[in-house]
Amino acid sequence: MNSNDSSHQVEESKDIKETTQALQDASIDEPTSKKAQKKLEKEREKQKRKEEVAARLAAEKAARESTANDFASDNYGKKPLNQSQERTYQNRKAIDSISAKMAGEPVWVRARVQTSRLAGSKNCFFVLRQSTLTIQGVVSIDEDKVSKHFLKFAGSIPPESIVLVHAQVVKTEEAIKSCTVQDSELKIYKLFTLSESKDRLPFTIEDASRSERFFADKEDTVNPQSTEDEPSPDSSLEKEKKFSRVNLDTRLNNRIVDLRTITNQAIFRIQSGVAQFFREFLLARDFVEIHTPKIIGTASEGGANVFKLNYFKTSAYLAQSPQLYKQMCVCGGFERVFEIAPVFRAEDSNTHRHMTEFMGMDLEMAFEEHYHEVLDLLDELFVHLFTNIKNKLAKQIETVKEQYPFEDFLFLPKTPRLTFPEAVALLRENGIQQGDYDDLSTETERVLGRLVREKYKTDFFMLDKFPLAVRPFYTMPNPGDMNYSNSYDFFMRGEEIMSGAQRIHDPDLLLERANLLGIDILFVLYLVYLFYVFNS
């Protein structure tokens, strides 16, 4: 602020005081008019704002003068806005590359501040995060590199700000269990903010990362002997005050912040890995990846579970399945095709087994002489997926397990393949009533999954030769017993995850099956027409 500005403020302040005094003098003789009162309030508000600005400018000036005398002023602060002015290669390290073996080495690390905590007047502790990886950082008063102003700056950095630190790797005496890097920490000597979080976060990353087991343990600790007759509202209130539970709607309304939790980061990496393993397995076996239409002219599978939408001057539908297109490609000479793409089902059911949109991993293949060739390939595919998830995504699996506890998934190098009659026999041996040709209910499937786990030590199995009566009319009958069919389901922990079958490829047999079950003959003729077109 220069001298002209100061003198100008003094004159304005003098004018305000004179106006105020005049209004006060006038009030002695007669009541102040509403207009005059309004003007007075306006002037007072104006003066208040000017005083606040002057105080802020004075504080900033004092801070600048204080920093000017700070020996560590070059070691901390806010970096200029990154407009791609330059490229500086400072040998920055990823957190997962840091370990106790690097003790004593200087490193540059760019990361987010998950938490910062001042500990007394000499230390500030950080948890720095890169995706799913975290490491502890420490700023301590040092006569050469870290001043009190440096420490104060460190403690003022808001959570989720992006920082650049220069530090020395230090081996820790005890494991730091709250971080993924547990055998070492960073002793920070330079600290710069690259992008500072401005607004208060809707929730903390710590709160969003806590598991249900954590809250259950806290409830037991806070009120170990509570009963319905003797509630303890004070203890419960104290618990909720200290440990906040982040609700699903809050997470979804602030999805960007929620995605930063290491659990969500791990989930997305597992999804990516599964798609990668699926794709690499099939490409290595001469499959061709295809991309089928998702906006189509008619419902792909019929029924009511289809989304209808306006398409210019007509109607269109979201694809319920890529089935028809896969079959077209196989009949068109591709032999083996697959797709990873969204599938849409207008299923108005509130269960985890009914989703309006999901990513389908579909494949279609021709076989030489027996449909079990397909089951053999699918067996190899799933074992490949499970093995790679277990070996290559172990850290991500453990991260998810920490927040959402679950038992390890069991599978075998060769997947058990039960026939439907064998499954019925296993159920009956354990007191479950099941008809020879009746379909399995959801609860019966769960029981069967539990029995298979106990007997075969696996959570994954195939069920072959379903009763013909519970399968679509175009499913090929089993030549050995016409009560059954050449169809199968795959199960994980007692829940069906996929199904398939050999399709009837003979027009006469297809018509015979349709007539037997009273299927619309026009629909069947359409399928026959497609068959002749594809095989001409």
Side-chain angles (χ1 to χ4, degrees):
M1 185 184 294
N2 56 39
S3 58
N4 291 335
D5 292 335
S6 299
S7 61
H8 183 64
Q9 283 191 355
V10 170
E11 290 176 0
E12 286 189 349
S13 179
K14 183 178 179 182
D15 292 340
I16 293 171
K17 289 179 179 178
E18 290 176 353
T19 302
T20 303
Q21 186 61 47
L23 290 169
Q24 289 175 346
D25 294 342
S27 67
I28 296 174
D29 300 327
E30 58 182 357
T32 305
S33 66
K34 290 184 179 180
K35 186 176 181 181
Q37 287 179 343
K38 198 171 183 180
K39 182 178 180 182
L40 176 60
E41 290 298 326
K42 189 175 181 180
E43 293 292 346
R44 285 175 176 169
E45 186 64 29
K46 186 176 179 181
Q47 177 62 19
K48 182 180 178 181
R49 288 198 299 269
K50 287 184 176 294
E51 290 174 354
E52 289 174 351
V53 171
R56 179 173 58 81
L57 293 174
E60 290 177 356
K61 182 179 179 182
R64 285 195 300 272
E65 291 175 351
S66 175
T67 304
N69 298 323
D70 181 9
F71 67 86
S73 58
D74 293 336
N75 295 339
Y76 67 94
K78 183 177 181 179
K79 284 283 188 181
L81 176 66
N82 185 345
Q83 296 179 288
S84 300
Q85 306 94 310
E86 59 182 356
R87 297 181 70 176
T88 57
Y89 297 92
Q90 297 174 307
N91 192 28
R92 298 178 186 173
K93 294 289 185 181
I95 288 177
D96 63 347
S97 69
I98 299 173
S99 68
K101 296 179 181 179
M102 299 173 60
E105 292 186 25
V107 294
W108 284 94
V109 176
R110 177 184 177 275
R112 283 191 184 273
V113 174
Q114 181 159 306
T115 61
S116 63
R117 175 175 59 87
L118 284 170
S121 59
K122 293 186 177 181
N123 298 290
C124 183
F125 290 88
F126 289 94
V127 172
L128 302 176
R129 187 183 75 250
Q130 292 175 346
S131 299
T132 61
L133 309 167
T134 55
I135 190 170
Q136 180 169 280
V138 184
V139 175
S140 301
I141 294 292
D142 183 280
E143 294 182 358
D144 296 325
K145 298 178 181 179
V146 180
S147 62
K148 291 183 179 180
H149 298 293
F150 189 153
L151 187 68
K152 183 178 179 181
F153 170 78
S156 68
I157 298 176
E160 293 306 295
S161 297
I162 299 176
V163 297
L164 177 65
V165 304
H166 188 235
Q168 184 182 53
V169 179
V170 177
K171 181 179 179 179
T172 57
E173 295 181 1
E174 297 182 2
I176 304 174
K177 296 182 179 180
S178 59
C179 296
T180 58
V181 178
Q182 300 186 353
D183 63 356
S184 55
E185 64 182 9
L186 299 177
K187 188 171 180 60
I188 299 171
Y189 293 114
K190 292 186 178 182
L191 175 61
F192 303 98
T193 57
L194 303 178
S195 180
E196 190 174 289
S197 179
K198 297 296 184 183
D199 298 325
R200 182 184 178 188
L201 296 174
F203 50 82
T204 67
I205 300 300
E206 291 80 6
D207 284 342
S209 301
R210 292 195 175 101
S211 67
E212 291 301 312
R213 180 183 294 170
F214 172 88
F215 287 102
D217 291 344
K218 289 300 176 184
E219 287 174 356
D220 293 341
T221 302
V222 170
N223 194 12
Q225 297 180 343
S226 64
T227 64
E228 293 183 3
D229 297 330
E230 298 177 352
S232 180
D234 295 337
S235 298
S236 178
L237 183 63
E238 184 66 21
K239 180 190 74 65
E240 292 297 331
K241 181 180 178 182
K242 288 184 177 181
F243 309 107
S244 299
R245 191 190 302 269
V246 183
N247 295 326
L248 179 61
D249 57 345
T250 304
R251 291 178 182 272
L252 296 179
N253 289 335
N254 303 276
R255 187 59 168 158
I256 293 176
V257 179
D258 186 45
L259 286 174
R260 295 177 186 173
T261 65
I262 61 173
T263 304
N264 278 326
Q265 292 276 327
I267 289 171
F268 273 76
R269 280 162 173 73
I270 293 170
Q271 290 178 345
S272 176
V274 170
Q276 176 189 340
F277 305 146
F278 181 81
R279 181 177 282 111
E280 68 185 15
F281 177 89
L282 295 178
L283 290 176
R285 287 157 181 78
D286 298 324
F287 277 76
V288 178
E289 183 170 9
I290 61 175
H291 305 286
T292 63
K294 301 306 168 200
I295 300 178
I296 56 181
T298 58
S300 53
E301 291 191 352
N305 62 340
V306 58
F307 287 108
K308 184 178 180 180
L309 61 147
N310 293 326
Y311 190 78
F312 300 106
K313 295 183 179 180
T314 185
S315 296
Y317 304 86
L318 294 181
Q320 299 160 283
S321 167
Q323 186 63 48
L324 176 62
Y325 301 103
K326 291 188 302 175
Q327 292 178 193
M328 289 173 65
C329 288
V330 171
C331 293
F334 284 83
E335 296 286 325
R336 297 181 169 198
V337 296
F338 75 94
E339 181 178 37
I340 304 174
V343 176
F344 303 92
R345 300 284 176 89
E347 305 255 12
D348 190 13
S349 299
N350 188 23
T351 77
H352 68 281
R353 299 185 63 168
H354 295 83
M355 302 182 70
T356 55
E357 177 184 358
F358 60 89
M359 291 301 296
M361 301 172 69
D362 288 274
L363 67 86
E364 195 84 9
M365 62 177 282
F367 59 82
E368 296 290 337
E369 59 178 350
H370 200 291
Y371 80 99
H372 278 182
E373 296 169 28
V374 180
L375 271 70
D376 293 339
L377 181 135
L378 289 171
D379 184 5
E380 293 178 19
L381 169 61
F382 277 99
V383 171
H384 174 82
L385 291 176
F386 299 148
T387 302
N388 278 279
I389 291 170
K390 180 180 179 180
N391 296 337
K392 297 182 180 180
L393 299 173
K395 288 184 178 179
Q396 288 79 4
I397 293 293
E398 288 303 313
T399 297
V400 176
K401 185 188 291 187
E402 185 68 25
Q403 183 165 3
Y404 304 109
F406 57 85
E407 293 183 9
D408 290 334
F409 186 78
L410 301 181
F411 66 98
L412 300 173
K414 186 66 176 177
T415 305
R417 187 182 303 177
L418 282 69
T419 64
F420 197 86
E422 290 172 340
V424 170
L426 181 60
L427 289 167
R428 289 174 178 172
E429 288 172 9
N430 289 272
I432 307 299
Q433 297 300 317
Q434 173 65 36
D436 289 332
Y437 309 117
D438 296 335
D439 201 0
L440 301 177
S441 67
T442 300
E443 182 56 35
T444 304
E445 288 179 350
R446 292 198 185 101
V447 173
L448 179 62
R450 187 169 65 252
L451 296 176
V452 169
R453 191 179 205 269
E454 293 172 356
K455 183 174 182 178
Y456 297 97
K457 309 304 179 187
T458 180
D459 288 312
F460 179 67
F461 67 97
M462 308 178 206
L463 191 54
D464 191 21
K465 301 294 183 183
F466 270 76
L468 186 63
V470 301
R471 289 292 179 161
F473 75 96
Y474 50 77
T475 302
M476 182 66 74
N478 177 29
D481 187 342
M482 290 293 289
N483 290 313
Y484 296 98
S485 64
N486 293 347
S487 63
Y488 54 87
D489 280 358
F490 281 58
F491 291 86
M492 288 178 64
R493 289 185 170 169
E495 293 198 12
E496 176 205 331
I497 61 167
M498 66 164 289
S499 63
Q502 178 184 359
R503 303 282 195 264
I504 294 176
H505 56 280
D506 179 75
D508 295 333
L509 179 57
L510 188 64
L511 284 170
E512 178 185 330
R513 287 287 300 153
N515 288 327
L516 181 64
L517 298 177
I519 304 297
D520 184 1
I521 193 66
L522 292 177
F523 177 66
V524 179
L525 289 174
Y526 173 69
L527 293 179
V528 172
Y529 165 75
L530 291 178
F531 169 80
Y532 279 120
V533 170
F534 292 156
N535 289 276
S536 61

